[in-house]
Amino acid sequence: MPELPEVETVRRGLNRLIVGRTIASVVHDNDKSFPNAQVDVQHFLLGATVVDVRRRAKVLIIDLSTNYSLVIHLKMTGQLVFRSSQDSFGAGHPNDSLIGDLPDTSTRVTFTFTDDSHLYFNDQRKFGWARLMPTQEVPNIDFMQKVGPEPLEADFTVEQFIERFSRRKKTSIKAALLDQSIIAGVGNIYADESLWGAKLHPQRRVGDVSKNEFKKLYTELRAVMNLAIDKGGSTDRNYVDAQGKKGSYMDFARVFRREGEPCPRCGASISKIRVAGRGTHVCTSCQVVQ
DNA sequence: CACTTGACCTGTCCGC
DNA sequence: TGCGGACAGGTCAAGT
């Protein structure tokens, strides 16, 4: 569920909260949440100071002073939550975090910094992963090699956007939007939201999308993602930011999770169908299959 | 190569 | 109340 806006929200939070902190200890469950644990994780992490937190597509990159980087994919239910040594979650200490005491049953990795603050990598469904590697090798991993361009970069043009779809003609526009090798960072929420904005039915074949419709989709996708970043992302189920707080984009969603509600544009009832193996929200009245 | 489907997991919800 | 099954959806491997 964390898509580009959610991962970007986490990145901004971590940038504020952990840059400059030095790792004192790491405890991990030694399964695929940290698949290269057999390399000496402790040796490369202990004493390392966080120097930057970057993002590429839905992947977070935590750069360390040792010229190593932690590369983390949250997949569906991953969370990265920071707690200072003062944070208290016991009775009589109200807070606005969605989650309580940490570590909890879904904690896969616990980083403790030298000031006794903590960063917890939680992942209920264990689809996420963390890897430690030299910073200079990060661009060489398979994921980075095949992932498409960042849709919110200032120099990403509508012409590039259209060109990226040129090798896909028969598949649905929704399947193409979800394909990370075409455009980076789009997931189920913002695919449905941007297709509604562009009045495109998710099952429209890519080859049947006109140039003007592509232009509209480009504009809508960027607008929707920028708004979502503004709102701290979407909390559908599990997502929380680096302080454990929910995002509020779902309050602004037009179709996602709104099956049965009236379309904000034409008033017809919003449907939920299945496209590209995903639950898909659509107004069949004003989003045209053609 | 283009494209689709199933696997990976576990918590939640729904019907019986 | 308990229990089975469907469902949630990011990515990769394996299938057509």
Side-chain angles (χ1 to χ4, degrees), chain A residues 17-253:
Chain A
L17 293 164
I18 68 168
V19 167
R21 296 189 198 270
T22 300
I23 297 171
S25 72
V26 180
V27 177
H28 57 83
D29 59 359
N30 205 26
D31 68 1
K32 72 182 192 123
S33 299
F34 222 132
N36 66 347
Q38 60 275 26
V39 315
D40 195 344
V41 168
Q42 302 288 335
H43 176 75
F44 287 106
L45 285 177
L46 301 197
T49 299
V50 177
V51 297
D52 198 8
V53 183
R54 297 180 285 140
R55 178 190 62 75
R56 175 74 171 99
K58 302 173 188 172
V59 169
L60 282 163
I61 305 155
I62 300 175
D63 292 326
L64 303 168
S65 57
T66 49
N67 291 323
Y68 269 68
S69 295
L70 277 164
V71 182
I72 299 175
H73 200 308
L74 301 174
K75 290 287 182 84
M76 245 100 80
T77 56
Q79 304 168 326
L80 281 170
V81 180
F82 176 82
R83 291 277 164 87
S84 78
S85 55
Q86 290 84 31
D87 287 338
S88 174
F89 292 82
H93 293 274
N95 62 81
D96 54 1
S97 176
L98 234 202
I99 44 189
D101 288 325
L102 291 171
D104 62 21
T105 53
S106 66
T107 301
R108 312 254 77 86
V109 187
T110 300
F111 301 89
T112 301
F113 298 105
T114 52
D115 61 357
D116 204 33
S117 58
H118 302 276
L119 179 66
Y120 299 93
F121 176 28
N122 274 17
D123 187 17
Q124 186 178 91
R125 288 169 71 178
K126 301 183 183 178
F127 288 174
W129 47 260
R131 287 174 201 155
L132 181 67
M133 67 186 73
T135 302
Q136 62 178 11
E137 287 180 16
V138 173
N140 301 328
I141 65 175
D142 286 351
F143 182 91
M144 297 298 179
Q145 285 291 308
K146 31 174 264 203
V147 74
E150 291 289 326
L152 299 186
E153 286 294 301
D155 60 358
F156 181 63
T157 65
V158 65
E159 288 77 19
Q160 288 173 310
F161 181 78
I162 294 171
E163 199 280 328
R164 298 296 299 175
F165 288 90
S166 59
R167 65 197 163 95
R168 293 286 211 286
K169 290 298 175 201
K170 291 186 66 178
T171 195
S172 67
I173 185 66
K174 174 153 180 177
L177 267 178
L178 293 175
D179 185 335
Q180 300 299 293
S181 72
I182 297 180
I183 305 291
V186 185
N188 209 35
I189 300 172
Y190 304 108
D192 284 5
E193 289 290 292
S194 59
L195 286 168
W196 180 88
K199 298 186 184 178
L200 284 167
H201 193 291
Q203 286 171 321
R204 177 84 69 89
R205 285 163 36 117
V206 174
D208 294 337
V209 177
S210 72
K211 190 168 183 177
N212 278 337
E213 286 171 326
F214 266 125
K215 285 182 179 173
K216 182 70 174 158
L217 182 59
Y218 165 87
T219 304
E220 288 293 325
L221 179 64
R222 285 166 51 113
V224 148
M225 284 191 157
N226 278 319
L227 174 63
I229 291 172
D230 219 45
K231 302 300 175 189
S234 299
T235 297
D236 180 26
R237 291 188 158 73
N238 289 268
Y239 167 74
V240 291
D241 70 11
Q243 292 180 103
K245 295 176 187 168
K246 295 166 67 167
S248 66
Y249 177 82
M250 292 297 282
D251 296 340
F252 300 84

Side-chain angles (χ1 to χ4, degrees), chain A residues 192-193 195-204 254-256 258-273 280-289:
Chain A
D192 284 5
E193 289 290 292
L195 286 168
W196 180 88
K199 298 186 184 178
L200 284 167
H201 193 291
Q203 286 171 321
R204 177 84 69 89
R254 285 85 49 94
V255 287
F256 193 79
R258 295 197 184 279
E259 56 268 34
E261 295 181 34
C263 169
R265 187 166 48 212
C266 76
S269 182
I270 293 165
S271 309
K272 186 174 182 185
I273 59 176
T280 297
H281 309 79
V282 59
C283 173
T284 54
S285 172
C286 63
Q287 287 177 258
V288 188
V289 188

